[in-house]
Amino acid sequence: MNHIENKSRIDPELRDEMAKQNIFITSLDFIYNWGRRSSVWPMQFGLACCAIEMIAAAAARYDIARFGAELFRASPRQADLMIVAGTVTKKMTPNVVRLYNQMAEPKYVLAMGACAISGGPFIDGYNVLRGIDRFIPVDVYVPGCPPRPEALLYGLMELQKKIDSQTFTKAEWYQKGLKREFPVPELGPNGLIPKFNPEIWQPREQDARKTRYGQTVLTGKKQKAPRLEPVAVPPPPAA
Amino acid sequence: MSETILNEPQTLEINFGPQHPSTHGVFRMRAVLDGETIRGLKLVIGYLHRNHEQIAENLTYPGVFAYTDRLDYLNSMQNNFGYALAAEKLAGITVPERAEYIRVIMAELARIVNHLLLVGFLLNDLGAFFTPCLYAVRERERILDIFEDVSGSRMMCNYFRFGGVKNDLTENQLGEIRKVVSRLPAFLDEFEALLSKNEILCMRCQNVGGLPKDLAVNAGITGPMLRASGINYDIRKTDRYSIYDRFDFKVPLGQKGDVYDRYYVRILEMRESVKIVEQAIAGIPRGEFLNAKTLPLLRNPRLFKPAAGEAYGRIESPKGELGYYLVSDGTPQPWRYHVRAPSLINLTVLEEMCVGQKIADAIVILGSIDIVLGETDR
């Protein structure tokens, strides 16, 4: 990732002379990215446990406002960054994808926590989506269960680096015919239809869980119910 | 919500959530409005159903501890406590004296954390956006520092073990806890000076969302919500689990059961928790922090095979009665595992409390119930 530097072809002496007159010259990319990365507005969108750490990051001690990202917007139309903070269940997935579609370009996604990345500790659950990157493209992954606020801030800094590396002329969202609406999955009787968006995610050829456990999902076989001793109920007192 | 209300010409059905800034997570409700007045309200839950019980039934008994942390993610220590009680009852494990004291200290600190955050979020819902929350989170961070010091993690502590706790508390840590706790009464005074007699808070909260006594009892409401309605029921007093019979503390009660009472009961409970922690620090004995007999079971979790039977352990969590029901069939995995989640059961009276109130008050009433979606949907 290349940081775009404040370079210009103007004679440095002339530039210094103009700076004395309060005229500053820079490249458009630099000033544009500087503005964008200094005011990343996240969406106020907490799913589970990680949302509490996101709140802690927004509070006085960690203070996400130092990075210009303190303005949590409740509406996706006003947000630049979607922090997927917590477990995405299959029932919630259509809503998450729809919220992403409603955000205005340029938009970024930060997957916060093990659950949003891969399903995390709940990967064996029948109702848990194994990673939000199956349906929407993710820019930054912040691992942890939950990640500390410092980790979230580091993820935000990585995102700022990514923003810095983008150039004005080649930006996707200024190209013609950009299509960044992702199909919203449907919750069917046996999970999501489709199970993933093949444009952005394909299943791996080797599934580590399958090679290790022999199956992708850990399911136990339940035998008969244990025979419990009936509890002796004391007779009701005579009236 | 009956069809007749929906068919009236002037009613309007609106949807809150699951993505809404004041639904405390991914909670969703459908409200039928007549002007601004709520005529009916239906909950739609399950957006955070993470299969807690199903996953736990495929794990070993000690392995479930890490998952109980994520039930009610504001106070993981209390969740550990309830599960530890249930499993110890099932397997007949005794807990050393010092471990009991450490458990009570941690559980009461977790209660303070939970109530602090609740008050902050309630004020968020009232429109005081994030300012009271900043004060609450500031104090919460100090307690989380203690949790991190003793257990290694800020939020998901995973600190309790069968027959004790994971680490011993050093003298330094006890001093640190004493220091943090001694700050709290002054902080609560400051908090209350800003909030409790604030005219806007009083007008928004008093006589809003009242919960009558008989409805509270019949619906199975527990915790601060029940006590705000004026019923003296606290499992720490009635059950006297662990060593709660040794401490001198009061159970604060409300009168009317409105939102203000629910707010104030929690403030008073924090003061009582401070008392308990101070008494526990003063009385903590020396000794072992983990029952030595359970150590091999924890090193090799598949050896932990309780005899066939069932057990129910319950505690007074900050939200209400948190119960764990375990059925063992003699194998390393529990045959059945069920959580009685207080925030799910407290949520069932939301419609009764909201009907007839204004739409803006429904948010406040929801905030005063103190739900955590991880526990509601499991």
Side-chain angles (χ1 to χ4, degrees):
Chain A
M1 228 185 281
N2 294 317
H3 187 92
I4 292 179
E5 284 169 19
N6 186 3
K7 275 191 293 191
S8 60
R9 285 180 212 155
I10 295 173
D11 179 23
E13 279 182 23
L14 180 62
R15 198 170 64 185
D16 291 347
E17 191 65 32
M18 289 174 86
K20 282 176 195 162
Q21 306 294 324
N22 284 351
I23 299 170
F24 296 94
I25 295 179
T26 180
S27 64
L28 194 56
D29 263 334
F30 180 81
I31 193 88
Y32 177 68
N33 286 338
W34 172 81
R36 284 200 306 134
R37 84 170 133 80
S38 311
S39 65
V40 179
W41 288 3
M43 189 155 66
Q44 190 179 31
F45 174 57
L47 290 172
C49 332
C50 293
I52 307 296
E53 286 294 67
M54 196 167 73
I55 291 166
R61 189 188 227 181
Y62 297 99
D63 201 9
I64 205 168
R66 292 176 295 155
F67 301 88
E70 79 279 21
L71 219 52
F72 283 83
R73 305 305 298 186
S75 162
R77 301 280 186 204
Q78 302 163 342
D80 304 312
L81 168 66
M82 184 188 209
I83 301 179
V84 186
T87 318
V88 188
T89 60
K90 285 182 182 169
K91 192 172 178 181
M92 192 64 196
T93 311
N95 299 320
V96 176
V97 178
R98 187 165 292 132
L99 283 169
Y100 179 76
N101 286 343
Q102 286 173 350
M103 282 165 68
E105 292 285 351
K107 53 190 175 183
Y108 301 96
V109 179
L110 189 151
M112 181 182 182
C115 292
I117 294 171
S118 71
F122 297 95
I123 191 166
D124 290 327
Y126 51 84
N127 192 30
V128 176
L129 184 73
R130 292 190 212 146
I132 189 61
D133 55 359
R134 293 182 178 215
F135 287 102
I136 56 177
V138 177
D139 295 289
V140 181
Y141 296 88
V142 180
C145 189
R148 297 177 58 88
E150 291 98 322
L152 178 62
L153 295 181
Y154 181 69
L156 189 69
M157 283 153 70
E158 289 294 306
L159 181 75
Q160 288 180 333
K161 275 184 201 162
K162 177 163 185 172
I163 291 175
D164 269 341
S165 75
Q166 291 175 322
T167 63
F168 193 78
T169 46
K170 290 178 189 164
E172 286 171 314
W173 55 91
Y174 285 125
Q175 308 293 322
K176 270 187 186 170
L178 170 74
K179 195 170 169 292
R180 292 250 278 190
E181 291 257 317
F182 290 95
V184 178
E186 229 179 274
L187 185 64
N190 294 319
L192 290 165
I193 308 164
K195 291 197 168 171
F196 53 88
N197 185 353
E199 286 175 25
I200 55 172
W201 190 87
Q202 271 91 28
R204 289 198 190 141
E205 284 177 9
Q206 267 200 334
D207 193 331
R209 286 175 71 81
K210 197 161 190 174
T211 46
R212 189 159 172 200
Y213 298 126
Q215 58 205 7
T216 33
V217 181
L218 193 65
T219 50
K221 281 181 188 165
K222 292 290 167 191
Q223 303 299 324
K224 275 195 323 194
R227 289 189 59 188
L228 302 178
E229 286 177 19
V231 180
V233 180
Chain B
M1 188 158 47
S2 61
E3 284 295 310
T4 51
I5 302 175
L6 273 175
N7 292 336
E8 282 175 26
Q10 75 273 28
T11 55
L12 173 73
E13 188 179 7
I14 65 161
N15 176 56
F16 281 111
Q19 198 269 325
H20 191 276
S22 58
T23 54
H24 295 232
V26 286
F27 176 70
R28 180 179 162 205
M29 54 188 176
R30 287 159 50 210
V32 179
L33 303 179
D34 181 356
E36 269 194 78
T37 314
I38 294 181
R39 296 288 303 276
L41 194 138
K42 267 273 173 288
L43 321 175
V44 186
I45 56 172
Y47 285 95
L48 195 55
H49 177 54
R50 299 193 281 196
N51 333 113
H52 178 80
E53 291 171 9
Q54 185 244 10
I55 290 173
E57 281 163 16
N58 296 327
L59 289 172
T60 55
Y61 286 88
V64 183
F65 259 128
Y67 285 85
T68 60
D69 283 338
R70 287 154 182 82
L71 269 179
D72 175 359
Y73 37 77
L74 293 180
N75 48 341
S76 58
M77 291 284 191
Q78 293 266 4
N79 301 339
N80 285 177
F81 203 165
Y83 180 67
L85 282 186
E88 280 158 10
K89 214 186 217 179
L90 188 68
I93 298 170
T94 54
V95 183
E97 192 87 333
R98 185 176 173 85
E100 294 272 28
Y101 274 89
I102 296 174
R103 282 179 173 196
V104 167
I105 290 171
M106 289 302 153
E108 292 306 316
L109 285 177
R111 189 185 308 279
I112 295 169
V113 166
N114 181 76
H115 286 348
L116 276 176
L117 272 189
L118 169 96
V119 175
F121 290 152
L122 178 64
L123 268 289
N124 266 5
D125 294 346
L126 279 166
F129 187 68
F130 223 72
T131 310
C133 213
L134 279 181
Y135 286 85
V137 174
R138 187 187 68 192
E139 292 306 307
R140 173 183 181 256
E141 291 287 343
R142 293 180 198 279
I143 299 179
L144 290 199
D145 279 350
I146 297 171
F147 286 172
E148 192 182 356
D149 198 13
V150 300
S151 73
S153 176
R154 277 159 54 86
M155 275 171 68
M156 305 302 171
C157 300
N158 195 6
Y159 182 55
F160 287 37
R161 295 286 183 272
F162 300 142
V165 291
K166 184 180 154 200
N167 292 327
D168 200 358
L169 285 187
T170 60
E171 281 302 315
N172 260 346
Q173 283 164 341
L174 278 174
E176 199 63 31
I177 295 171
R178 204 179 288 123
K179 216 160 77 186
V180 167
V181 165
S182 64
R183 276 177 53 97
L184 275 168
F187 163 71
L188 285 173
D189 288 342
E190 181 199 5
F191 211 46
E192 272 205 83
L194 292 171
L195 298 178
S196 286
K197 287 180 184 161
N198 186 310
E199 198 177 338
I200 303 171
L201 186 125
C202 290
M203 286 180 75
R204 284 294 305 274
C205 292
Q206 282 172 351
N207 300 320
V208 168
L211 180 65
K213 267 185 188 181
D214 47 346
L215 177 65
V217 173
N218 290 341
I221 309 297
T222 45
M225 236 179 117
L226 179 71
R227 294 194 285 277
S229 295
I231 290 164
N232 189 355
Y233 180 74
D234 188 322
I235 297 169
R236 288 175 294 175
K237 287 280 187 192
T238 55
D239 242 22
R240 294 175 174 266
Y241 61 91
S242 191
I243 48 164
Y244 272 106
D245 48 350
R246 297 184 199 173
F247 301 117
D248 171 33
F249 65 100
K250 289 178 194 143
V251 179
L253 296 179
Q255 286 176 338
K256 283 185 276 186
D258 55 4
V259 173
Y260 189 82
D261 278 358
R262 267 172 241 147
Y263 154 78
Y264 206 68
V265 160
R266 281 168 175 128
I267 295 271
L268 293 177
E269 269 191 21
M270 277 192 265
R271 294 186 186 274
E272 297 301 318
S273 292
V274 170
K275 273 193 216 165
I276 296 176
V277 175
E278 278 171 352
Q279 290 172 40
I281 293 176
I284 188 166
R286 290 184 185 280
E288 54 181 4
F289 60 94
L290 185 67
N291 192 341
K293 283 179 199 162
T294 60
L295 205 55
L297 304 178
L298 299 177
R299 293 258 166 80
N300 192 350
R302 293 198 80 80
L303 292 181
F304 190 88
K305 288 189 261 189
E310 57 181 346
Y312 180 71
R314 60 177 190 169
I315 57 155
E316 177 72 30
S317 101
K319 300 190 164 58
E321 176 187 340
L322 176 64
Y324 289 89
Y325 176 63
L326 280 168
V327 180
S328 163
D329 58 351
T331 56
Q333 287 108 349
W335 188 80
R336 181 78 179 94
Y337 166 70
H338 176 71
V339 185
R340 185 227 187 258
S343 47
L344 172 66
I345 292 162
N346 290 356
L347 202 54
T348 51
V349 286
L350 182 65
E351 187 179 1
E352 278 86 348
M353 289 197 290
C354 284
V355 169
Q357 310 274 351
K358 295 280 183 282
I359 179 78
D361 293 335
I363 302 290
V364 182
I365 295 167
L366 177 69
S368 73
I369 295 177
D370 191 10
I371 56 165
V372 159
L373 266 292
E375 194 179 58
T376 307
D377 295 342
R378 269 165 284 147

